Amino acid sequence: MSILRGDGPTLFLTVGLPGVGKTTYARWVEAEWGALRLTKDEWVKALYGDDNPEVVSDVIEGRLIRIGLRVLELGASVVIDFGLWSRAERDALRQAAAEVGAAVEVRYFEVPVDEQRRRLDRRLAERPQDTWPISDAELASWAARFDVPTAGELDGSDPVGDPPDGFATWGDWIAYRWPPAVGNHST
């Protein structure tokens, strides 16, 4: 894998559904770049074990994003490893990284559905402490909600647009999308 190293910190965004290679790539970036790797599933597993409560997912992502942005401010690179299924999520993080002077690399991962299923089954069999069972129905539902990145997102040529309606800034949207506490959606 070839990545041009720039001057200063870089925010790496891993984009894709479960079982497509995001964490493998994030571990590579961590080792190769000395980047801080922020993998949500590891935190959820450490805090909740076999439970995977949906209500805490956004809060944990938000905490990891806050840590990641601070690390970027301090001059180190960061890799966010939790899918980023919507264009708005990716745009928000691209904008936040730009505001702290960091470069951004968006990496999209996909594999055929049968390969994805094989990888998920193998991961569950080999490392049940690191994952949860995922049904075919869940995969299909998530795939239907997934915004495939554009070529411009991937090469950096698409500008970050305006935040979604109802939000004056991307920072406001980030605070809504990734609340600091459970039950804190107030818009």
Side-chain angles (χ1 to χ4, degrees), residues 10-155:
T10 298
L11 175 61
F12 295 89
L13 302 177
T14 63
V15 179
L17 293 167
V20 296
K22 297 181 311 294
T23 300
T24 300
Y25 174 77
R27 287 182 177 133
W28 179 84
V29 170
E30 176 184 39
E32 194 67 25
W33 282 68
L36 175 64
R37 179 175 55 87
L38 299 172
T39 300
K40 177 186 72 174
D41 288 353
E42 291 175 357
W43 285 87
V44 175
K45 270 297 203 179
L47 294 170
Y48 295 96
D50 288 338
D51 292 334
N52 188 7
E54 191 171 330
V55 69
V56 302
S57 181
D58 293 347
V59 174
I60 290 173
E61 287 180 7
R63 295 294 177 170
L64 295 177
I65 288 166
R66 288 170 198 258
I67 291 166
L69 292 174
R70 180 64 182 134
V71 168
L72 291 169
E73 286 178 325
L74 294 171
S77 293
V78 173
V79 57
I80 299 286
D81 175 26
F82 42 83
L84 303 168
W85 295 354
S86 78
R87 171 72 187 247
E89 291 171 327
R90 299 186 297 268
D91 277 356
L93 293 177
R94 290 171 58 208
Q95 180 63 38
E99 289 173 4
V100 298
V104 178
E105 295 283 340
V106 178
R107 295 289 185 244
Y108 173 51
F109 300 87
E110 68 175 330
V111 296
V113 174
D114 58 332
E115 174 64 11
Q116 181 185 26
R117 170 53 45 206
R118 188 187 67 72
R119 289 178 182 194
L120 291 169
D121 291 346
R122 185 180 69 213
R123 183 171 71 189
L124 186 61
E126 293 175 359
R127 297 186 326 273
Q129 72 279 5
D130 293 338
T131 193
W132 299 269
I134 297 173
S135 71
D136 289 341
E138 287 172 311
L139 287 177
S141 170
W142 297 339
R145 296 186 344 227
F146 184 79
D147 295 333
V148 174
T150 66
E153 275 185 274
L154 298 175
D155 69 16

